[in-house]
Amino acid sequence: YYTHLMLIFCRMPITVYMYDKDAGGLISIAEYGQEYGKENPIRVLYHGFGHYDALEIPRRKGPKPRL
């Protein structure tokens, strides 16, 4: 529901991540808004129970994330 609202207001792609203990870090669990492009998506961290936080993943090169 929250990601749907973000799509309506932002019109930008969104990638949702979640911490996975077995993987030893973050994993991508969903992508929304691919119709708005695939470059530089808004990244959010899902904690469960409908709670999301903005997430910035450090990059070595390339454009900075929009959020």
Side-chain angles (χ1 to χ4, degrees):
Y1 177 76
Y2 296 107
T3 53
H4 180 72
L5 288 177
M6 288 176 63
L7 282 174
I8 291 170
F9 291 113
C10 298
R11 295 182 188 247
M12 295 170 58
I14 299 169
T15 303
V16 182
Y17 293 86
M18 188 171 199
Y19 179 77
D20 185 294
K21 186 177 179 179
D22 294 333
L26 299 177
I27 59 169
S28 174
I29 61 169
E31 292 182 341
Y32 302 99
Q34 297 299 307
E35 65 270 23
Y36 301 117
K38 294 183 180 183
E39 296 294 317
N40 215 10
I42 294 174
R43 294 172 177 89
V44 294
L45 179 63
Y46 179 68
H47 294 284
F49 307 106
H51 181 80
Y52 295 85
D53 284 323
L55 179 64
E56 184 173 350
I57 299 174
R59 294 177 181 238
R60 291 183 184 163
K61 295 181 181 179
K64 288 186 175 184
R66 296 182 211 181
L67 183 62

